[in-house]
Amino acid sequence: LASVTFAGCGAPTAPDVSSTLAVASADNDEFEPYKNERLRTTLNGIFDRGSDSNTLWSVSVRAYGPQGQKLSIYRSGDTQDVKPASTMKVLTSWTAFQKIPAASQTGSYEYNYMREMMKYSDNVMAETVLGWCGGVNSTYNMLDSFGILKSSGLNIVDGSGLSYSNRLAAQDFVQILGKIRASDKMKAFRSLLPVGGVDGTLAGRLGRVNGTIAAPHHDEAAWLSSEQPRPNARIPDARTT
């Protein structure tokens, strides 16, 4: 697997969480379902907490293979619109990349400002960036211009994700990440983000994840591992994004 895209966000849940799960079901796009029971069981244990949980997850895990394969690895309520919290800052930043030419130019005032905002998830700065773009209508226009098929409950009211009125489904977000990945502005945008175990809000998190995708057998789905892969388990040129 050449890269993995993961989208997940949470919001207060309805009484029955389990009824929202739809794992590795058919996508309405070019991503083919890829079933792996071991991986599915592991991820279910993380995201399906049953009636004891007060959080409803909207999760989608997709992978791009080295030969161009597009696989839907895992889905859990990915059409469910939930409160996206700081995920909204990704939409705000990507909108700025489209609206403001200097925003994607490394070293510019706009770029440095957004880098600080994204690295440290600064809410006030996020609202300022949205103001540069012209408000939430610019975010909606960005989604339309990229042909993103939006969930029926999508609702954008700010640039930071603080409002409880924001609603976004994982299927919306993975489409956005796919557009970013395919863009010539991908490298500049990626440099805005905090790096696990290195800086920003992730300085003390994910420090042991080395970016390797490992699989004990070539006929099984790979998984992200925080441990060093076993001999012969490394997939050439595998990187995570």
Side-chain angles (χ1 to χ4, degrees):
L1 300 181
S3 65
V4 173
T5 295
F6 170 87
C9 30
T13 179
D16 184 7
V17 177
S18 59
S19 64
T20 67
L21 292 178
V23 179
S25 56
D27 280 315
N28 293 321
D29 57 26
E30 69 273 25
F31 283 78
E32 299 179 5
Y34 189 103
K35 296 183 180 181
N36 180 276
E37 189 64 24
R38 181 180 177 185
L39 180 63
R40 183 189 69 82
T41 300
T42 299
L43 293 178
N44 273 351
I46 297 172
F47 298 114
D48 182 12
R49 302 299 177 85
S51 60
D52 293 334
S53 174
N54 63 357
T55 300
L56 172 63
W57 286 95
S58 180
V59 182
S60 178
V61 181
R62 292 179 173 183
Y64 295 82
Q67 280 77 48
Q69 308 98 311
K70 296 182 177 181
L71 304 174
S72 178
I73 303 296
Y74 179 86
R75 300 174 64 188
S76 175
D78 65 326
T79 61
Q80 174 72 41
D81 292 285
V82 297
K83 181 178 179 291
S86 287
T87 297
M88 292 301 297
K89 294 184 179 71
V90 173
L91 273 69
T92 300
S93 298
W94 189 240
T95 299
F97 263 42
Q98 311 314 309
K99 292 279 291 184
I100 308 169
S104 59
Q105 296 174 7
T106 304
S108 70
Y109 170 80
E110 292 84 355
Y111 171 88
N112 289 337
Y113 190 95
M114 290 171 55
R115 191 169 188 269
E116 182 77 7
M117 179 264 285
M118 291 295 285
K119 289 284 187 182
Y120 295 97
S121 192
D122 190 291
N123 296 316
V124 175
M125 296 176 81
E127 297 305 331
T128 298
V129 172
L130 185 64
W132 293 348
C133 299
V136 296
N137 285 338
S138 294
T139 305
Y140 281 117
N141 291 338
M142 177 273 292
L143 296 174
D144 288 336
S145 69
F146 279 94
I148 293 173
L149 302 176
K150 300 178 288 293
S151 57
S152 59
L154 176 74
N155 194 43
I156 301 171
V157 300
D158 64 21
S160 63
L162 281 178
S163 174
Y164 278 86
S165 296
N166 287 307
R167 286 293 181 269
L168 181 74
Q171 68 168 8
D172 302 322
F173 193 50
V174 293
Q175 288 183 84
I176 295 165
L177 294 178
K179 297 295 183 181
I180 294 173
R181 181 181 184 275
S183 171
D184 58 2
K185 298 178 180 179
M186 163 64 176
K187 185 176 180 180
F189 188 84
R190 185 173 180 176
S191 67
L192 300 178
L193 306 177
V195 179
V198 176
D199 61 11
T201 55
L202 296 181
R205 306 175 187 174
L206 303 178
R208 297 178 64 220
V209 176
N210 60 21
T212 298
I213 301 177
H217 305 291
H218 292 296
D219 58 349
E220 292 185 9
W223 65 86
L224 296 179
S225 174
S226 61
E227 304 295 338
Q228 191 67 24
R230 285 173 286 183
N232 303 319
R234 193 179 185 91
I235 300 176
D237 299 322
R239 297 290 185 272
T240 60
T241 60

